[in-house]
Amino acid sequence: MAQSTPSQQLLEKIVSLAKRRGFIFQSSEIYGGLNGCWDYGPLGVEMLRNLKDAWWRAMTQRGDIEGLDASILMHPKVWEASGHVQNFSDPMVDCRECKSRYRVDHLFAEMSEKKLKSITKSLVLETRDFTKDQLAELVTGMIEQNDSIFGSLVEQELIPCPNCGRTKTFTVPRSFNLMFETHIGPVKDDSNAVVYLRPETAQGIFVNFLNVMQSSRQKIPFGICQIGKSFRNEINTKNFLFRTREFEQMEMQFFCKAGSDDAFFEQWRETRWNWWRSLGMPESKLRFRPHEKLAHYAKAAGDIEFEFPFGFGEIEGIHNRTDFDLTRHQEFSGKSLQVHDEETKEKYTPYVVETAAGASRGFMAFLCNGYEEETVNGEQRVVLRLHPFLAPVKVAVFPLVNKDGMPEIASELERDLRKSMKSFYDDSGAVGRRYRRMDEIGTPFCVTIDSDTLTNQTVTIRERDSMQQVRVSMGHVKEYINERLSSPV
Ligand code: ATP
């Protein structure tokens, strides 16, 4: 069996910690699991809520953005208008030998530069200054326009199967719609009853645009934001939470007048970049990648990418969607979604700048970013360096020893802290081990009750990253911690 690479090993360690400590479980595990679906355990659900809360606060506590929670099932015409019924598909190919299935763009994205060069050479393309990503995009684009090129490359043995290594085994590309279909009502074969599980939250916002604007008395420019589940029947699910079939998105659509859209695009690009940074993502692990090939609806687009153990991957897309969506919904519904310009007294359809982040993918990015192994006094410690706002447990309280009234004082303090933050009481094992258990789930503060507490009512507070301890009077513990937990926005 092939040895796993250091980055695969790192990911395996993160997945194993996530399971062992109750962040993430495989869905339906006792039945062998369900591909592309995961469950959030007790710590995972806390951390995910904190992440969504940080986003929600950043979006809604600024006066020009309103929240919404639209239903997952929508009128089927929504998806015709949005273009998803026609266009939301990926070309896929199967290996006839080992039955592996691939998205065509992924096949090239993961190919070595050398192999990509031999492909572009065979297609007689001039690619001297191209990066590896550009080569992959170029080849994918050519195949999208003419899929017989794929067959000819397969015949020339230029596309081996990444799984079994055989050549000449791939089928021709076939289009595969990523939307999950289901039925409303009891009669399954009634084609009028087909509905889709939404593949993005954005459309719920577009169709409610006027409802929100009128009820909240907002004026252009303003935004609507939403957090919710989306579903995509992805061809390949892999890399833990990175690409799943059910996931959560945090999307915001900002409605503005044509002409101001370019400036808002730049503003939102910067605002969203700063948000990821404010929660502890280092500059060195983030990059912004502008899209070279734009979706049919977009005027400008780019991704904020995070460096996962397997390489850079998108965590959020920023798109200038123009007036495409509102115009299409007007055409398909026959209802006006225009607004009145108070200056020119004319009606117009607003443009939309969208920020589309993954809550589940972002969650994974923070786990990967935080995970660290280090040696302290000759002993290894695993520490999850999460921003305190994201940490699932904020504080742990320990009695140094289980005697002299220390457990009683510690549990009383913990019960008091519990009223305002997620806390944990632990009196089992040596204090060093209790610290380690808290380090690996990212708990930023541990409070210890010791013999000095009995005489002067002070406790030690130990900080996770620096491991430094300070002595604080018991009455100030809550204030001390709360000051350091405050929301990053
Ligand atoms: P990709 O190119 O990776 O398939 P996308 O460009 O289709 O993603 P968007 O439609 O822009 O993604 O979705 C916005 C965000 O939703 C992404 O940045 C990502 O964080 C999240 N997301 C999209 N698809 C998935 C998925 N299958 N699993 C988990 N998160 C996803």
Side-chain angles (χ1 to χ4, degrees), residues 56 60 66-70 201-209 211-212 224-228:
W56 191 256
T60 59
E66 303 291 339
L68 180 76
D69 189 2
T201 52
Q203 300 304 324
I205 288 181
F206 294 130
V207 300
N208 276 300
F209 155 65
N211 285 339
V212 174
I224 306 178
C225 70
Q226 169 164 225
I227 299 178

Side-chain angles (χ1 to χ4, degrees), residues 88 90 103 105-106 199-200 232 234 241-249 251 291 297 303-304 314-317 319 354 356-362:
F88 196 55
D90 284 330
R103 235 168 84 170
D105 57 332
H106 288 174
E200 61 175 29
R232 296 183 188 177
E234 297 278 2
L241 307 175
F242 184 80
R243 188 170 303 287
T244 55
R245 298 206 163 100
E246 175 177 339
F247 54 95
E248 234 171 335
Q249 290 188 304
E251 290 200 292
H291 286 194
Y297 54 76
D303 297 335
I304 297 177
E314 170 184 342
I315 47 177
E316 174 159 4
H319 312 122
E354 149 183 285
S360 338
R361 224 183 247 185

Side-chain angles (χ1 to χ4, degrees), residues 35 225 367 380 386 400 422 475 479:
N35 210 333
C225 70
L367 272 189
Q380 207 208 33
L386 297 174
L400 183 64
K422 183 85 183 157
E479 191 187 338

